[in-house]
Amino acid sequence: MSVWDDVVGQEPAVEVLRTAVADASAMTHAWLLTGPPGSGRSNAARAFAAALQCPRGGCGACHDCATTLGGTHPDVTYVATEGVVIRADTVRPLVELAQRSPSQGRWRVIVVEDADRLNDTSGNALLKAIEEPAARTVWVLCAPSPQDVLVTIRSRSRSVALRVPPVDAVAALLVSRDGVDPAVAGVAARAAQSHVGIARRLARDPEARARRSAVLAIAARIRGVGDAVLAAGELVETAQADAKAATEHRDAAERAELLRSLGAEGASTLPPALRSQVRQLEDEQKRRATRAQRDVLDRAMVDLLSLYRDVLVVQLGAEVELVNVEHAATVRELAEHSTPEQTLRRMDAVGQARTRIAGNVAPLLAVEAMAIALRPQG
Protein backbone atom coordinates (compact mmCIF):
# COMPACT_ATOMS: atom_id res chain seq x y z
CA MET A 1 0.00 0.00 0.00
CA SER A 2 1.22 3.49 -0.83
CA VAL A 3 -0.16 7.04 -0.95
CA TRP A 4 0.54 6.96 -4.69
CA ASP A 5 -1.82 4.04 -5.43
CA ASP A 6 -4.71 6.33 -6.50
CA VAL A 7 -2.52 8.43 -8.80
CA VAL A 8 -3.12 6.21 -11.83
CA GLY A 9 -1.23 6.39 -15.11
CA GLN A 10 1.13 9.15 -13.93
CA GLU A 11 4.40 7.27 -13.48
CA PRO A 12 6.75 10.04 -14.76
CA ALA A 13 5.14 12.71 -12.55
CA VAL A 14 5.08 10.40 -9.53
CA GLU A 15 8.77 9.65 -10.00
CA VAL A 16 9.61 13.38 -9.89
CA LEU A 17 7.58 13.89 -6.70
CA ARG A 18 8.93 10.75 -5.04
CA THR A 19 12.48 11.91 -5.75
CA ALA A 20 11.77 15.30 -4.18
CA VAL A 21 10.47 13.63 -1.03
CA ALA A 22 13.55 11.42 -0.73
CA ASP A 23 16.25 13.85 -1.90
CA ALA A 24 16.53 17.31 -0.31
CA SER A 25 18.48 18.62 -3.32
CA ALA A 26 15.46 17.89 -5.54
CA MET A 27 13.03 19.66 -3.23
CA THR A 28 11.71 23.18 -3.74
CA HIS A 29 9.27 25.46 -1.92
CA ALA A 30 6.63 25.84 -4.67
CA TRP A 31 5.21 23.24 -7.06
CA LEU A 32 2.76 23.62 -9.94
CA LEU A 33 0.93 20.41 -10.87
CA THR A 34 -0.76 20.75 -14.24
CA GLY A 35 -2.84 18.43 -16.36
CA PRO A 36 -6.22 18.18 -18.10
CA PRO A 37 -9.42 17.66 -16.09
CA GLY A 38 -9.48 14.15 -14.69
CA SER A 39 -5.73 13.66 -14.81
CA GLY A 40 -5.65 13.47 -11.02
CA ARG A 41 -4.05 16.78 -10.06
CA SER A 42 -5.78 16.89 -6.67
CA ASN A 43 -5.00 13.24 -5.94
CA ALA A 44 -1.35 13.81 -6.83
CA ALA A 45 -1.20 16.91 -4.62
CA ARG A 46 -2.69 15.04 -1.65
CA ALA A 47 -0.37 12.08 -2.17
CA PHE A 48 2.63 14.43 -2.35
CA ALA A 49 1.55 16.21 0.84
CA ALA A 50 1.16 12.86 2.62
CA ALA A 51 4.55 11.64 1.41
CA LEU A 52 6.19 14.84 2.66
CA GLN A 53 4.72 14.30 6.14
CA CYS A 54 5.29 10.55 6.30
CA PRO A 55 8.47 9.34 8.08
CA ARG A 56 8.69 6.59 5.45
CA GLY A 57 8.01 8.76 2.43
CA GLY A 58 4.38 7.83 1.81
CA CYS A 59 3.67 4.41 3.28
CA GLY A 60 -0.09 4.99 3.20
CA ALA A 61 -0.62 3.26 6.55
CA CYS A 62 0.72 5.63 9.23
CA HIS A 63 -1.12 8.37 11.13
CA ASP A 64 0.50 11.15 9.07
CA CYS A 65 -0.59 9.57 5.78
CA ALA A 66 -4.12 8.87 7.01
CA THR A 67 -4.71 12.36 8.38
CA THR A 68 -3.20 14.09 5.35
CA LEU A 69 -5.26 12.09 2.87
CA GLY A 70 -8.31 12.57 5.06
CA GLY A 71 -7.85 16.33 5.24
CA THR A 72 -7.30 16.53 9.01
CA HIS A 73 -3.52 16.88 9.35
CA PRO A 74 -2.82 20.08 11.35
CA ASP A 75 0.05 21.13 9.06
CA VAL A 76 -1.65 20.49 5.71
CA THR A 77 -4.15 23.04 4.38
CA TYR A 78 -6.35 22.48 1.33
CA VAL A 79 -7.90 25.35 -0.61
CA ALA A 80 -10.55 24.58 -3.25
CA THR A 81 -12.93 27.34 -4.24
CA GLU A 82 -16.56 26.65 -5.05
CA GLY A 83 -16.92 30.11 -6.53
CA VAL A 84 -15.87 31.41 -9.91
CA VAL A 85 -12.61 32.88 -8.56
CA ILE A 86 -10.40 32.58 -5.49
CA ARG A 87 -10.77 35.90 -3.73
CA ALA A 88 -8.04 37.89 -1.97
CA ASP A 89 -9.73 37.47 1.42
CA THR A 90 -9.21 33.71 1.03
CA VAL A 91 -5.53 34.08 0.17
CA ARG A 92 -4.41 36.57 2.81
CA PRO A 93 -4.82 34.17 5.77
CA LEU A 94 -2.79 31.61 3.80
CA VAL A 95 0.06 34.08 3.40
CA GLU A 96 0.16 34.52 7.16
CA LEU A 97 -0.13 30.77 7.73
CA ALA A 98 2.79 30.10 5.38
CA GLN A 99 5.15 31.97 7.67
CA ARG A 100 4.52 29.63 10.60
CA SER A 101 6.62 26.57 11.32
CA PRO A 102 4.83 23.22 11.23
CA SER A 103 3.30 22.32 14.60
CA GLN A 104 3.59 18.53 14.36
CA GLY A 105 4.65 17.44 10.90
CA ARG A 106 7.86 17.65 8.93
CA TRP A 107 6.50 20.38 6.63
CA ARG A 108 3.71 22.94 6.46
CA VAL A 109 2.00 22.14 3.16
CA ILE A 110 -0.57 24.43 1.51
CA VAL A 111 -2.41 22.90 -1.44
CA VAL A 112 -4.34 25.25 -3.75
CA GLU A 113 -6.47 22.98 -5.93
CA ASP A 114 -7.80 25.70 -8.25
CA ALA A 115 -4.81 27.97 -8.80
CA ASP A 116 -6.20 28.85 -12.24
CA ARG A 117 -9.03 30.68 -10.42
CA LEU A 118 -6.72 33.17 -8.76
CA ASN A 119 -7.43 36.66 -10.06
CA ASP A 120 -4.85 39.46 -10.24
CA THR A 121 -5.49 40.64 -6.69
CA SER A 122 -5.44 37.24 -4.99
CA GLY A 123 -2.60 36.04 -7.24
CA ASN A 124 -0.40 38.97 -6.31
CA ALA A 125 -1.14 38.40 -2.61
CA LEU A 126 -0.08 34.77 -2.99
CA LEU A 127 3.02 35.77 -4.94
CA LYS A 128 4.46 37.55 -1.91
CA ALA A 129 4.38 34.35 0.12
CA ILE A 130 5.95 32.32 -2.69
CA GLU A 131 8.71 34.91 -3.20
CA GLU A 132 9.63 34.86 0.49
CA PRO A 133 9.02 31.27 1.59
CA ALA A 134 9.46 30.04 5.13
CA ALA A 135 12.06 27.32 5.54
CA ARG A 136 9.62 24.43 6.11
CA THR A 137 6.66 25.60 4.02
CA VAL A 138 5.72 24.00 0.69
CA TRP A 139 3.13 25.38 -1.73
CA VAL A 140 1.42 22.91 -4.10
CA LEU A 141 -0.64 24.63 -6.79
CA CYS A 142 -2.91 22.78 -9.21
CA ALA A 143 -4.14 24.04 -12.60
CA PRO A 144 -5.13 22.65 -16.02
CA SER A 145 -2.04 24.17 -17.69
CA PRO A 146 0.87 26.47 -16.82
CA GLN A 147 -0.69 29.18 -18.99
CA ASP A 148 -3.74 29.27 -16.68
CA VAL A 149 -1.61 30.59 -13.81
CA LEU A 150 -0.20 34.10 -13.44
CA VAL A 151 3.20 34.18 -15.13
CA THR A 152 4.86 35.60 -12.01
CA ILE A 153 3.68 32.62 -9.94
CA ARG A 154 4.51 30.17 -12.71
CA SER A 155 8.09 31.43 -12.98
CA ARG A 156 8.68 30.83 -9.26
CA SER A 157 7.26 27.29 -9.16
CA ARG A 158 8.54 23.96 -10.37
CA SER A 159 6.11 22.51 -12.91
CA VAL A 160 5.13 18.84 -13.03
CA ALA A 161 2.89 17.86 -15.93
CA LEU A 162 0.29 15.13 -15.59
CA ARG A 163 -1.30 13.38 -18.56
CA VAL A 164 -4.66 11.81 -19.28
CA PRO A 165 -4.43 8.34 -17.69
CA PRO A 166 -5.12 5.26 -19.85
CA VAL A 167 -8.71 4.02 -19.88
CA ASP A 168 -7.59 0.56 -18.75
CA ALA A 169 -5.81 2.03 -15.70
CA VAL A 170 -8.91 3.98 -14.64
CA ALA A 171 -11.16 0.95 -15.14
CA ALA A 172 -8.77 -1.22 -13.09
CA LEU A 173 -8.87 1.36 -10.28
CA LEU A 174 -12.69 1.30 -10.23
CA VAL A 175 -12.65 -2.50 -10.03
CA SER A 176 -9.98 -2.77 -7.32
CA ARG A 177 -10.97 0.15 -5.12
CA ASP A 178 -14.74 0.47 -5.62
CA GLY A 179 -15.69 -3.11 -6.48
CA VAL A 180 -17.29 -2.06 -9.78
CA ASP A 181 -18.13 -4.77 -12.32
CA PRO A 182 -15.30 -4.84 -14.93
CA ALA A 183 -17.67 -4.33 -17.88
CA VAL A 184 -19.37 -1.34 -16.21
CA ALA A 185 -15.97 0.05 -15.18
CA GLY A 186 -14.71 -0.09 -18.77
CA VAL A 187 -17.77 1.70 -20.16
CA ALA A 188 -17.63 4.35 -17.41
CA ALA A 189 -13.90 4.97 -17.87
CA ARG A 190 -14.31 5.45 -21.63
CA ALA A 191 -17.40 7.66 -21.25
CA ALA A 192 -15.56 9.81 -18.68
CA GLN A 193 -12.57 10.02 -21.02
CA SER A 194 -10.36 8.77 -18.18
CA HIS A 195 -11.56 11.39 -15.67
CA VAL A 196 -11.33 9.31 -12.49
CA GLY A 197 -13.94 11.22 -10.48
CA ILE A 198 -16.52 11.27 -13.26
CA ALA A 199 -15.83 7.62 -14.11
CA ARG A 200 -16.54 6.66 -10.50
CA ARG A 201 -19.80 8.62 -10.48
CA LEU A 202 -20.96 7.07 -13.76
CA ALA A 203 -20.03 3.59 -12.58
CA ARG A 204 -21.84 3.90 -9.24
CA ASP A 205 -24.81 6.14 -10.06
CA PRO A 206 -27.41 4.94 -12.61
CA GLU A 207 -29.05 8.39 -12.55
CA ALA A 208 -25.76 9.99 -13.64
CA ARG A 209 -25.59 7.58 -16.57
CA ALA A 210 -29.19 8.40 -17.48
CA ARG A 211 -28.50 12.16 -17.40
CA ARG A 212 -25.49 11.70 -19.65
CA SER A 213 -27.52 9.63 -22.12
CA ALA A 214 -30.17 12.37 -22.19
CA VAL A 215 -27.49 14.96 -23.07
CA LEU A 216 -26.16 12.82 -25.92
CA ALA A 217 -29.71 12.26 -27.24
CA ILE A 218 -29.93 16.01 -27.90
CA ALA A 219 -27.66 15.64 -30.94
CA ALA A 220 -30.12 13.35 -32.73
CA ARG A 221 -33.25 15.24 -31.61
CA ILE A 222 -32.41 18.61 -33.10
CA ARG A 223 -33.98 18.95 -36.56
CA GLY A 224 -34.66 22.68 -36.72
CA VAL A 225 -34.43 25.96 -34.84
CA GLY A 226 -37.49 25.16 -32.71
CA ASP A 227 -35.98 21.86 -31.57
CA ALA A 228 -32.71 23.62 -30.84
CA VAL A 229 -34.31 26.27 -28.62
CA LEU A 230 -36.29 23.64 -26.70
CA ALA A 231 -33.23 21.43 -26.26
CA ALA A 232 -31.15 24.37 -25.02
CA GLY A 233 -33.81 25.29 -22.48
CA GLU A 234 -33.96 21.70 -21.21
CA LEU A 235 -30.16 21.51 -20.92
CA VAL A 236 -29.89 24.73 -18.92
CA GLU A 237 -32.86 23.80 -16.70
CA THR A 238 -31.27 20.42 -15.98
CA ALA A 239 -27.99 22.11 -15.10
CA GLN A 240 -29.79 24.52 -12.77
CA ALA A 241 -31.69 21.66 -11.12
CA ASP A 242 -28.51 19.61 -10.66
CA ALA A 243 -26.67 22.59 -9.21
CA LYS A 244 -29.56 23.35 -6.86
CA ALA A 245 -29.77 19.73 -5.73
CA ALA A 246 -26.03 19.71 -5.05
CA THR A 247 -26.04 22.91 -3.00
CA GLU A 248 -29.55 23.33 -1.52
CA HIS A 249 -29.12 21.13 1.56
CA ARG A 250 -25.70 22.57 2.30
CA ASP A 251 -26.96 26.15 1.89
CA ALA A 252 -29.77 25.55 4.38
CA ALA A 253 -27.40 23.92 6.88
CA GLU A 254 -24.93 26.81 6.59
CA ARG A 255 -27.66 29.40 7.12
CA ALA A 256 -29.02 27.54 10.15
CA GLU A 257 -25.53 27.24 11.64
CA LEU A 258 -24.83 30.95 11.08
CA LEU A 259 -28.11 32.00 12.72
CA ARG A 260 -27.41 29.66 15.63
CA SER A 261 -23.93 31.13 16.12
CA LEU A 262 -25.41 34.64 16.03
CA GLY A 263 -28.08 33.76 18.55
CA ALA A 264 -30.84 34.45 16.03
CA GLU A 265 -32.12 30.91 15.49
CA GLY A 266 -35.88 30.90 14.93
CA ALA A 267 -36.12 34.69 14.74
CA SER A 268 -38.83 35.93 12.37
CA THR A 269 -36.86 39.09 11.59
CA LEU A 270 -33.13 39.75 11.87
CA PRO A 271 -31.68 42.76 13.71
CA PRO A 272 -29.97 45.19 11.31
CA ALA A 273 -26.55 44.41 12.82
CA LEU A 274 -26.83 40.75 11.75
CA ARG A 275 -28.25 41.21 8.26
CA SER A 276 -24.90 41.99 6.64
CA GLN A 277 -23.43 38.68 7.83
CA VAL A 278 -26.39 36.73 6.50
CA ARG A 279 -26.22 38.67 3.23
CA GLN A 280 -22.51 37.85 2.93
CA LEU A 281 -23.28 34.14 3.31
CA GLU A 282 -26.06 34.35 0.70
CA ASP A 283 -23.70 36.07 -1.75
CA GLU A 284 -21.14 33.30 -1.26
CA GLN A 285 -23.82 30.67 -1.81
CA LYS A 286 -24.93 32.37 -5.03
CA ARG A 287 -21.34 32.31 -6.31
CA ARG A 288 -21.13 28.63 -5.45
CA ALA A 289 -24.39 27.90 -7.28
CA THR A 290 -23.12 29.78 -10.35
CA ARG A 291 -19.93 27.72 -10.33
CA ALA A 292 -21.90 24.47 -9.91
CA GLN A 293 -24.21 25.31 -12.82
CA ARG A 294 -21.26 26.18 -15.07
CA ASP A 295 -19.51 22.95 -14.16
CA VAL A 296 -22.60 20.86 -14.97
CA LEU A 297 -23.07 22.63 -18.32
CA ASP A 298 -19.41 22.33 -19.20
CA ARG A 299 -19.46 18.60 -18.50
CA ALA A 300 -22.53 18.21 -20.73
CA MET A 301 -20.68 19.97 -23.54
CA VAL A 302 -17.62 17.79 -23.05
CA ASP A 303 -19.94 14.78 -23.42
CA LEU A 304 -21.36 16.23 -26.65
CA LEU A 305 -17.83 16.79 -27.95
CA SER A 306 -17.02 13.14 -27.25
CA LEU A 307 -20.09 12.11 -29.29
CA TYR A 308 -19.08 14.23 -32.28
CA ARG A 309 -15.52 12.95 -31.93
CA ASP A 310 -16.96 9.43 -32.36
CA VAL A 311 -18.99 10.60 -35.37
CA LEU A 312 -15.82 11.94 -36.98
CA VAL A 313 -13.99 8.69 -36.23
CA VAL A 314 -16.67 6.75 -38.12
CA GLN A 315 -16.79 9.23 -40.99
CA LEU A 316 -13.01 9.08 -41.48
CA GLY A 317 -12.79 5.33 -40.98
CA ALA A 318 -10.20 5.70 -38.24
CA GLU A 319 -9.15 2.49 -36.49
CA VAL A 320 -9.69 3.71 -32.92
CA GLU A 321 -12.23 2.70 -30.29
CA LEU A 322 -15.35 4.81 -29.77
CA VAL A 323 -15.71 6.74 -26.51
CA ASN A 324 -19.48 6.17 -26.48
CA VAL A 325 -19.68 2.49 -27.36
CA GLU A 326 -23.16 2.15 -25.88
CA HIS A 327 -24.41 4.94 -28.19
CA ALA A 328 -22.94 3.43 -31.36
CA ALA A 329 -26.32 3.49 -33.16
CA THR A 330 -26.67 7.27 -32.64
CA VAL A 331 -23.07 7.77 -33.77
CA ARG A 332 -23.66 5.83 -36.99
CA GLU A 333 -26.90 7.70 -37.73
CA LEU A 334 -25.23 11.09 -37.31
CA ALA A 335 -22.24 9.96 -39.38
CA GLU A 336 -24.47 8.84 -42.26
CA HIS A 337 -26.44 12.09 -42.41
CA SER A 338 -23.59 14.59 -42.26
CA THR A 339 -20.11 15.22 -43.62
CA PRO A 340 -16.82 15.41 -41.70
CA GLU A 341 -16.77 19.16 -42.36
CA GLN A 342 -20.19 19.55 -40.76
CA THR A 343 -19.09 17.49 -37.77
CA LEU A 344 -16.06 19.73 -37.28
CA ARG A 345 -18.28 22.82 -37.45
CA ARG A 346 -20.54 21.32 -34.78
CA MET A 347 -17.55 20.60 -32.57
CA ASP A 348 -16.42 24.21 -33.04
CA ALA A 349 -19.90 25.41 -31.98
CA VAL A 350 -19.73 23.35 -28.79
CA GLY A 351 -16.24 24.65 -28.03
CA GLN A 352 -17.36 28.24 -28.62
CA ALA A 353 -20.28 27.78 -26.21
CA ARG A 354 -17.87 26.56 -23.52
CA THR A 355 -15.70 29.63 -24.08
CA ARG A 356 -18.68 31.98 -23.93
CA ILE A 357 -19.99 30.53 -20.68
CA ALA A 358 -16.52 30.72 -19.13
CA GLY A 359 -16.53 34.38 -20.19
CA ASN A 360 -19.79 35.09 -18.30
CA VAL A 361 -22.17 35.04 -21.27
CA ALA A 362 -25.68 34.12 -20.09
CA PRO A 363 -25.80 30.29 -20.19
CA LEU A 364 -29.14 30.10 -22.01
CA LEU A 365 -27.96 32.43 -24.81
CA ALA A 366 -24.70 30.51 -25.26
CA VAL A 367 -26.39 27.10 -25.26
CA GLU A 368 -29.14 28.26 -27.66
CA ALA A 369 -26.53 29.48 -30.15
CA MET A 370 -24.74 26.16 -29.85
CA ALA A 371 -27.90 24.08 -30.27
CA ILE A 372 -28.94 26.02 -33.39
CA ALA A 373 -25.52 25.28 -34.91
CA LEU A 374 -26.04 21.55 -34.25
CA ARG A 375 -29.14 21.28 -36.45
CA PRO A 376 -28.82 19.47 -39.81
CA GLN A 377 -27.43 21.70 -42.56
CA GLY A 378 -28.59 21.41 -46.14
Side-chain angles (χ1 to χ4, degrees):
M1 183 178 177
S2 164
V3 296
W4 304 104
D5 289 349
D6 287 353
V7 188
V8 296
Q10 306 295 349
E11 290 78 10
V14 168
E15 182 60 30
V16 171
L17 298 175
R18 277 182 183 271
T19 300
V21 171
D23 182 359
S25 66
M27 189 60 188
T28 188
H29 68 284
W31 295 80
L32 177 58
L33 306 186
T34 61
S39 57
R41 298 186 304 262
S42 296
N43 282 346
R46 287 176 180 265
F48 185 38
L52 286 171
Q53 301 293 11
C54 177
R56 295 187 290 277
C59 68
C62 69
H63 178 72
D64 285 312
C65 286
T67 53
T68 301
L69 295 177
T72 58
H73 195 290
D75 295 319
V76 181
T77 302
Y78 297 103
V79 181
T81 182
E82 291 176 314
V84 177
V85 299
I86 297 178
R87 301 163 69 86
D89 55 7
T90 299
V91 170
R92 291 190 185 104
L94 300 178
V95 174
E96 179 183 344
L97 179 66
Q99 299 305 313
R100 301 179 194 166
S101 299
S103 60
Q104 297 179 20
R106 301 166 68 220
W107 298 87
R108 179 169 298 284
V109 185
I110 303 175
V111 178
V112 183
E113 296 187 359
D114 300 289
D116 53 308
R117 295 185 182 273
L118 291 163
N119 58 22
D120 288 343
T121 304
S122 57
N124 287 328
L126 183 64
L127 178 63
K128 294 178 181 178
I130 292 179
E131 285 180 326
E132 302 172 1
R136 303 300 295 175
T137 294
V138 179
W139 290 88
V140 185
L141 313 178
C142 304
S145 75
Q147 290 71 34
D148 292 320
V149 179
L150 293 176
V151 65
T152 47
I153 292 178
R154 187 168 75 230
S155 65
R156 290 162 176 78
S157 307
R158 182 176 179 186
S159 292
V160 177
L162 281 68
R163 61 193 179 188
V164 176
V167 169
D168 291 345
V170 175
L173 180 66
L174 295 177
V175 172
S176 63
R177 187 175 62 185
D178 300 301
V180 176
D181 177 81
V184 174
V187 170
R190 279 193 299 274
Q193 298 177 71
S194 294
H195 190 302
V196 177
I198 292 173
R200 180 180 292 113
R201 188 168 74 246
L202 290 174
R204 300 172 63 179
D205 184 358
E207 290 186 5
R209 295 197 293 272
R211 285 194 297 270
R212 184 176 187 277
S213 294
V215 169
L216 298 184
I218 288 174
R221 279 175 43 207
I222 296 176
R223 295 297 177 188
V225 173
D227 294 334
V229 172
L230 289 174
E234 289 176 14
L235 193 57
V236 173
E237 286 176 9
T238 299
Q240 290 172 335
D242 284 354
K244 183 177 180 181
T247 59
E248 190 172 29
H249 178 73
R250 180 176 172 183
D251 288 353
E254 287 177 344
R255 181 182 174 87
E257 177 60 30
L258 176 62
L259 293 177
R260 187 159 46 247
S261 67
L262 296 174
E265 187 177 14
S268 56
T269 59
L270 289 175
L274 304 183
R275 289 174 190 164
S276 63
Q277 296 182 57
V278 174
R279 192 177 303 114
Q280 183 178 359
L281 174 64
E282 291 173 345
D283 289 343
E284 182 61 34
Q285 290 175 342
K286 286 178 183 177
R287 286 191 290 269
R288 186 165 65 204
T290 298
R291 163 83 184 271
Q293 182 185 348
R294 285 185 182 180
D295 287 349
V296 171
L297 276 176
D298 191 69
R299 187 64 223 175
M301 293 178 191
V302 170
D303 289 335
L304 279 173
L305 281 175
S306 75
L307 183 75
Y308 286 119
R309 172 264 188 198
D310 286 348
V311 171
L312 195 61
V313 164
V314 171
Q315 289 173 328
L316 299 179
E319 297 295 325
V320 295
E321 191 172 16
L322 298 182
V323 170
N324 301 283
V325 177
E326 70 278 25
H327 296 279
T330 299
V331 170
R332 286 194 297 271
E333 180 185 353
L334 290 169
E336 290 171 3
H337 294 92
S338 63
T339 64
E341 292 77 16
Q342 289 172 331
T343 301
L344 286 172
R345 283 198 293 272
R346 287 169 171 168
M347 294 176 77
D348 285 343
V350 177
Q352 189 174 43
R354 295 181 69 196
T355 301
R356 286 172 172 168
I357 290 175
N360 285 326
V361 172
L364 184 58
L365 291 178
V367 176
E368 280 183 351
M370 176 197 77
I372 290 171
L374 299 184
R375 74 190 194 280
Q377 304 292 320

